[in-house]
Amino acid sequence: MFANVSPEGAAPGSVAASPSRENPNYWYNWKRDAALTMSEIVALYRTAPDAKRKKAYLKTLLDYAAYARGVQGAGGLTGIGEPKSNMDGTPFNGPWGRPQDDGPAEEASTLISFAAAILAEGRRDVALQLYGDFTAGIKGDLEYVSHHWQQTSFDVWEEVKAHHFDTGMAQRAALLDGAGLARKLGDPGAADWYESQARLIEAKLVDHWDQRTNTIRAELGRSGGLDYKSSGLDTAVILAAIRPRTPGQGDLFSVVDKRVLATAQALKEAFRAGYALNRRADAPGVAIGRYPEDKYFGGNPWVLGTDAFAQLYFMAACEYLRRGTIVVEAEDLAFFRDLLSDADRGRLKAGMTLTPPDDLFGKVVAGLKEGGDAYLRVVRAHANPDGSLSEQIDRDSGYMTSARDLTWNYASVLTALDARDALDRALQLQKGI
Ligand code: NOJ
Ligand code: NOJ
């Protein structure tokens, strides 16, 4: 991951999506990939075991903030809505699906979490610099997000212009976290505005739930781009649920939301049936793709999608331990049953509330951990012999394919492992150790 951050010959703070220069050429700084990578580096910064590493992470994050600010000011066809920039920070103005409005939101969220960490250390001056103003820094992104969320934009996969669930969730998270930071930094008018827009986004997000299919529809109101995504199923919904969640965001469509779990189960079943790889007798688990109709590079499972499922399971288990109850409903019954042994499956019924004295509570939590591990085993089984990870896993052969050393992949392994560590800590606490 670090090899692709500020690589030689590129601007400091830039993140190459992959070192691959052709077929595909990923030698660009994608706003989303960079933000999700830097989000993990904020976590590393917070928990750095020694001063030397803490300092190195700090420099990387400050470089990132400076690079992002340079790109904001560099123009480009859709301004802050541009999906990617050249590695020297100049705009990429070739044909592309634009704008991609999850990008500025992801960037804002990462910089907000960085600013919050800095503020907690008493560096208000640095936090204020990161916050910026109407056109630059965190506030520059939040102004864009709060004034553009009503428009359609291209999705996380850069293919469909529509109102996307994942984009809306990213925008909502950024605006709510941004409101919190704005308040702390003495910008209450902006805070109220960001929060009011976040509440309006929420009212639209709930429209994505489709009771008839028992899934969250990834997109509504398509206005351009690919038109063959007929199932409405998309792993982007899972990416939306596992995004870092601060208390200010509440629990709308969280990792334990029955609508999210029902969608996860539908995706898992679609990919289980859809890829030859997953039908092998010795498959360690289910490899997860972007969406069932995908054709990009042949339409394969993706490392970061498979990692996202692992993270979802770990985060859900952690949240159930915190709450001390699991409510099983008609919508997510199939999700929970899939975690249990044949003997226990039939005992689980919709309408049950499980609490720790019931053996089923512990079995569901254990099933989530084991289920999460199974996804990680899939990734490990198909990694290159040296451990490196390309974007995709060939749906038939299982070999790595498409962009090599995809930066976001490594970040997604780390965030999944962070969630697993948090789960382990919660399990220890429960045991009273
Ligand atoms: C490039 C994009 O990066 C990818 O997500 C997409 O699937 C292909 N273009 C095809 O549209
Ligand atoms: C294509 C993916 O679909 C998109 O999510 C990503 O941002 C770019 N590749 C760069 O990795």
Side-chain angles (χ1 to χ4, degrees):
M1 182 177 86
F2 280 105
N4 298 343
V5 174
S6 311
E8 218 183 294
S14 62
V15 179
S18 148
S20 174
R21 309 277 187 129
E22 53 178 16
N23 192 33
N25 180 2
Y26 275 25
W27 190 249
Y28 295 98
N29 182 101
W30 264 267
K31 206 165 277 181
R32 107 173 33 83
D33 299 50
L36 294 168
T37 302
M38 289 294 167
S39 171
E40 175 58 25
I41 297 178
V42 173
L44 292 170
Y45 172 72
R46 277 212 195 91
T47 57
D50 57 62
K52 191 169 163 252
R53 264 176 282 188
K54 193 159 177 92
K55 207 174 144 197
Y57 296 141
L58 179 64
K59 180 176 182 331
T60 302
L61 291 167
L62 291 172
D63 285 347
Y64 165 62
Y67 178 88
R69 189 177 285 230
V71 171
Q72 283 176 321
L77 296 172
T78 57
I80 287 179
E82 279 302 284
K84 64 178 188 176
S85 46
N86 296 315
M87 290 299 289
D88 63 2
T90 57
F92 166 80
N93 285 335
W96 210 254
R98 57 167 58 88
Q100 293 180 14
D101 286 347
D102 61 318
E106 298 284 14
E107 181 175 279
S109 290
T110 293
L111 289 170
I112 291 163
S113 70
F114 176 40
I118 290 286
L119 199 56
E121 292 166 4
R123 299 293 311 272
R124 198 181 165 83
D125 52 332
V126 180
L128 276 166
Q129 265 179 326
L130 291 168
Y131 185 63
D133 59 35
F134 276 97
T135 55
I138 292 168
K139 184 161 177 167
D141 282 343
L142 294 176
E143 291 298 315
Y144 177 87
V145 171
S146 60
H147 287 101
H148 290 83
W149 65 265
Q150 307 204 34
Q151 72 183 11
T152 57
S153 74
F154 281 84
D155 62 312
V156 61
W157 312 132
E158 316 189 285
E159 296 176 326
V160 181
K161 199 170 187 199
H163 294 291
H164 301 283
F165 178 80
D166 172 56
T167 302
M169 286 286 284
Q171 291 167 324
R172 170 184 182 270
L175 290 171
L176 290 176
D177 289 354
L181 182 68
R183 245 175 223 117
K184 282 189 198 147
L185 293 177
D187 195 4
D192 290 345
W193 163 251
Y194 299 149
E195 194 173 335
S196 70
Q197 296 307 299
R199 299 301 168 213
L200 294 174
I201 294 172
E202 286 174 2
K204 295 281 176 201
L205 285 173
V206 294
D207 292 344
H208 287 257
W209 170 242
D210 182 346
Q211 213 168 356
R212 198 178 44 85
T213 57
N214 197 40
T215 57
I216 295 167
R217 291 195 77 81
E219 68 199 43
L220 295 175
R222 180 183 158 277
S223 63
L226 297 190
D227 63 358
Y228 52 75
K229 293 176 70 171
S230 51
S231 68
L233 278 173
D234 197 311
T235 297
V237 169
I238 307 308
L239 296 180
I242 63 171
R243 172 169 290 119
R245 194 171 283 256
T246 57
Q249 290 177 32
D251 60 7
L252 182 71
F253 292 115
S254 80
V255 292
V256 296
D257 188 302
K258 64 182 178 186
R259 296 165 293 187
V260 169
L261 299 180
T263 307
Q265 191 58 21
L267 281 159
K268 183 183 184 184
E269 278 162 17
F271 294 129
R272 182 153 44 200
Y275 299 134
L277 188 68
N278 288 333
R279 297 192 299 265
R280 289 185 189 172
D282 62 347
V286 178
I288 302 290
R290 299 195 296 183
Y291 54 89
E293 305 83 359
D294 199 356
K295 296 180 183 161
Y296 182 49
F297 271 78
N300 295 301
W302 278 45
V303 170
L304 65 90
T306 310
D307 287 338
F309 266 65
Q311 189 174 328
L312 173 77
Y313 283 36
F314 297 143
M315 287 175 75
C318 216
E319 180 60 16
Y320 290 130
L321 287 172
R322 198 189 62 78
R323 295 185 178 193
T325 69
I326 300 173
V327 181
V328 181
E329 297 178 74
E331 289 85 350
D332 52 24
L333 179 64
F335 173 85
F336 287 116
R337 283 198 168 155
D338 204 20
L339 304 167
L340 297 173
S341 67
D342 292 344
D344 289 323
R345 210 160 278 161
R347 296 170 52 209
L348 203 67
K349 302 267 158 38
M352 281 182 159
T353 297
L354 312 177
T355 50
D358 316 331
D359 68 317
L360 280 177
F361 179 92
K363 283 178 173 168
V364 167
V365 170
L368 284 167
K369 183 169 177 193
E370 171 49 33
D373 281 350
Y375 292 109
L376 293 180
R377 270 185 231 119
V378 169
V379 170
R380 190 166 60 188
H382 301 294
N384 289 313
D386 65 356
S388 66
L389 296 168
S390 308
E391 184 180 67
Q392 306 181 25
I393 304 167
D394 186 281
R395 62 191 291 153
D396 300 313
S397 73
Y399 282 105
M400 298 262 86
T401 183
S402 185
R404 72 184 166 93
D405 288 306
L406 190 85
T407 319
W408 181 3
N409 274 353
Y410 299 122
S412 75
V413 171
L414 292 172
T415 52
L417 291 177
D418 290 345
R420 192 179 189 280
D421 287 345
L423 172 56
D424 275 340
R425 286 194 297 274
L427 284 166
Q428 296 290 342
L429 261 177
Q430 201 207 22
K431 278 193 222 138
I433 296 168

